Amino acid sequence: MSGRRGASRTVPAAASNAMKAVPAMPSLAANAADAPEEAPQTHAPGWQEGYDHGFEAGKAALGQRWPGTSIIIPTYNKRDYLVRCLDSIRRHTPEPYEIIVVDNASADGTAAMLETYSLLLGPGKLRFRVMDRNLGFAGAVNRGLMMARGDRLLLLNNDTLVTERWLDNLTACLERSPFAGIVGPVTNFISGSQLVKVPYRSIKGMDVWARGRNKPDSRRWKETARLTGFCMLMRRSLWEAIGYFDEGYQVGNYEDDDFCLRARLLSLRLYIAGDCFIHHFGSVTVREEARMTAITESNRLFYKAKWEDPAGVLRAPSAKDPELAKPAGEASFYPGGVAAEGADGTVWWLERGVRWKIEGGWELPSVRLGRPVLSRYRPAAATIASSIAASRWRSEKSAPSLPLDGESSTGDFPPPYAAWLNGSLAYVEEGRRRTVLNPAAAERWGLHLKPLMPEADAAAALLPAGLPVIAPPLLYQRL
């Protein structure tokens, strides 16, 4: 469902042969007898009490982490492929895991199948959410990330089959590789350096071949500049530092490139675990979309407008400056002196790593931020009046100070301001001049609407450089 996975591409011969034999979908009818029967009427009070107790226990556990892997599978139709994927996970994953399926409003009985399959796996193994419309890959993954509880998060396409030792080998690469941020496997059908030639011509042959190939071997781990989103493993801490996928990418393609680049901005590395092979049928969801050629081009232009020169962005944090060499999170690349809206509709004023709740109506620009990134700003004990926030947004010299730890304690520092330097927009805050990466970054934050201060341009040019200002991800959901 993600990236350039075969649409408008030539399928490698080995991959084409491997895809010819697709086994029949396993019947779930045999498992129907395993489903619990309706409770006898005489036991109704006890049944209800047990349900109520379990419901309250579930509420109390919501958001609590556990030392396992959350496997997030976005899906849209292709019920048969999803069943095969779930079956392969059940057969080949002895490690602690939970499966989270986000169904993008499928019309092929996927929701009913998930109801039955959750009974087959047992309590807590499979949770799912059926959306009322197709949110695309990024939107579905974001909903799954919000539901996940594991210390590690794994994104997996619905058209994959995992193999023996798959998760163990991926986890070993993630935990043992220096500065690893995201790890992916090799496969038979993909664009880029994760593609390997395969000899098998049937799924049965694939299982036998993969069993021998997946022998743990760290010599087959290698760093890469790009991973595709059909299977990606990361620590939960990375997601908490970066936030959600950018939902500005339609349906699927380029949102994984975007996410990987954001991980690399934090000086983290991407690795291919060459000792982990999983089978990929190859973009079975998106390749049937008649609009995919146009969508891919639209997403490519969206990516280009957001990043323009990815290599240049990665060179921006200078190792010579310890304050810039290892950004604490994506918020390090966000500007201060701006407003942001949270999932509950609260509007916050962001400045110097602190967030103040804005009291009163807010009519100036604001951007929606997801909870993981917004929570990295320290909450101030005091609120701030919208008039004060507006004064600081306009970079007025007479802007009132900000309350820090209480109403009597204030932060007496000048508000950030925009400047025009050498034909480019810059942003000055905390004694540094920061390059606004491109018009997309300026527009998403509303920086292009801030009043310029020509008299301050010369002084700004003498300041030391700070981290560039990048565009935050577009979020259409409240996450």
Side-chain angles (χ1 to χ4, degrees):
M1 291 181 64
S2 173
R4 290 142 320 281
R5 314 295 180 248
S8 303
R9 286 182 178 267
T10 302
V11 181
S16 178
N17 291 331
M19 293 169 62
K20 289 179 180 177
V22 179
M25 173 185 166
S27 173
L28 294 177
N31 300 314
D34 298 331
E37 298 179 359
E38 186 176 351
Q41 190 63 31
T42 54
H43 297 161
W47 183 276
Q48 185 62 45
E49 182 180 351
Y51 174 84
D52 292 341
H53 178 77
F55 183 80
E56 292 302 320
K59 284 177 60 179
L62 186 64
Q64 291 184 6
R65 295 163 58 172
W66 60 280
T69 302
S70 296
I71 303 171
I72 300 166
I73 306 176
T75 191
Y76 176 63
N77 293 325
K78 301 303 176 185
R79 169 181 177 269
D80 295 5
Y81 283 92
L82 177 59
V83 172
R84 297 186 188 98
C85 178
L86 296 174
D87 280 348
S88 69
I89 295 172
R90 186 161 57 99
R91 290 196 307 271
H92 298 306
T93 317
E95 300 85 1
Y97 70 91
E98 66 170 357
I99 300 173
I100 297 171
V101 178
V102 181
D103 179 21
N104 268 329
S106 297
D108 63 350
T110 293
M113 180 275 292
L114 290 170
E115 289 277 5
T116 305
Y117 212 103
S118 64
L119 296 173
L120 172 65
L121 286 181
K125 281 291 188 179
L126 170 63
R127 292 184 289 129
F128 61 93
R129 174 72 181 269
V130 179
M131 309 307 294
D132 59 1
R133 57 190 172 87
N134 190 344
L135 299 177
F137 181 84
V141 165
N142 284 348
R143 183 60 58 172
L145 289 169
M146 189 180 72
M147 297 168 62
R149 299 183 297 119
D151 277 337
R152 289 176 298 278
L153 307 171
L154 186 138
L155 312 184
L156 187 66
N157 271 21
N158 61 345
D159 61 341
T160 57
L161 297 176
V162 303
T163 55
E164 282 192 22
R165 292 186 292 270
W166 75 288
L167 185 54
D168 186 45
N169 289 359
L170 283 176
T171 302
C173 183
L174 179 67
E175 298 300 335
R176 298 175 194 169
S177 299
F179 310 108
I182 309 175
V183 171
V186 293
T187 190
N188 59 293
F189 187 99
I190 207 68
S191 64
S193 55
Q194 290 173 266
L195 177 68
V196 295
K197 293 182 179 180
V198 297
Y200 58 83
R201 293 177 177 271
S202 68
I203 298 303
K204 183 177 180 181
M206 181 276 293
D207 275 328
V208 174
W209 179 78
R211 185 178 303 121
R213 195 187 191 288
N214 282 9
K215 293 179 180 179
D217 185 357
S218 61
R219 293 172 298 178
R220 289 188 283 165
W221 302 346
K222 64 177 182 179
E223 188 176 352
T224 184
R226 172 179 177 262
L227 289 170
T228 52
F230 81 103
C231 180
M232 297 198 313
L233 177 67
M234 70 190 84
R235 298 178 186 87
R236 186 183 190 89
S237 58
L238 172 62
W239 169 61
E240 291 173 343
I242 289 180
Y244 290 101
F245 278 64
D246 194 324
E247 296 180 1
Y249 297 97
Q250 304 175 55
V251 184
N253 284 340
Y254 284 95
E255 66 287 300
D256 45 2
D257 298 89
D258 181 288
F259 195 82
C260 287
L261 178 57
R262 290 157 62 192
R264 294 179 67 195
L265 277 175
L266 304 188
S267 300
L268 296 173
R269 298 174 183 174
L270 314 178
Y271 281 91
I272 298 173
D275 56 352
C276 175
F277 173 88
I278 72 172
H279 179 79
H280 186 207
F281 288 106
S283 300
V284 299
T285 297
V286 300
R287 69 182 176 187
E288 291 185 0
E289 293 274 355
R291 302 175 295 126
M292 274 314 297
T293 299
I295 287 174
T296 298
E297 176 61 12
S298 175
N299 286 351
R300 185 188 71 82
L301 294 175
F302 183 88
Y303 179 86
K304 183 179 180 180
K306 182 177 178 181
W307 296 110
E308 290 186 359
D309 177 18
V313 178
L314 292 170
R315 289 193 299 268
S318 173
K320 297 179 181 179
D321 191 333
E323 292 186 34
L324 307 181
K326 293 184 178 180
E330 186 161 306
S332 300
F333 294 88
Y334 292 173
V338 293
E341 181 183 345
D344 61 356
T346 300
V347 181
W348 300 91
W349 180 255
L350 308 181
E351 196 169 340
R352 297 206 168 203
V354 182
R355 56 185 165 99
W356 290 263
K357 181 179 179 181
I358 297 177
E359 293 286 358
W362 182 256
E363 297 180 355
L364 290 169
S366 67
V367 65
R368 180 177 295 177
L369 294 183
R371 185 175 291 120
V373 172
L374 192 56
S375 64
R376 298 183 77 86
Y377 291 86
R378 179 170 61 86
T383 61
I384 180 175
S386 59
S387 59
I388 294 177
S391 180
R392 295 189 71 84
W393 187 90
R394 297 188 183 98
S395 306
E396 296 174 358
K397 293 181 178 180
S398 60
S401 300
L402 289 171
L404 290 180
D405 299 324
E407 294 296 341
S408 60
S409 177
T410 61
D412 190 11
F413 40 82
Y417 65 91
W420 198 254
L421 300 177
N422 301 320
S424 299
L425 186 65
Y427 200 62
V428 177
E429 59 177 319
E430 299 187 52
R432 290 183 181 270
R433 54 177 173 82
R434 305 178 61 185
T435 300
V436 180
L437 189 60
N438 49 42
E443 290 170 9
R444 290 210 198 169
W445 291 107
L447 301 183
H448 64 302
L449 300 175
K450 288 203 171 197
L452 294 174
M453 305 176 66
E455 70 279 5
D457 289 357
L462 301 176
L463 295 174
L467 291 173
V469 174
I470 67 172
L474 288 177
L475 299 179
Y476 298 126
Q477 305 175 81
R478 293 193 175 275
L479 298 162

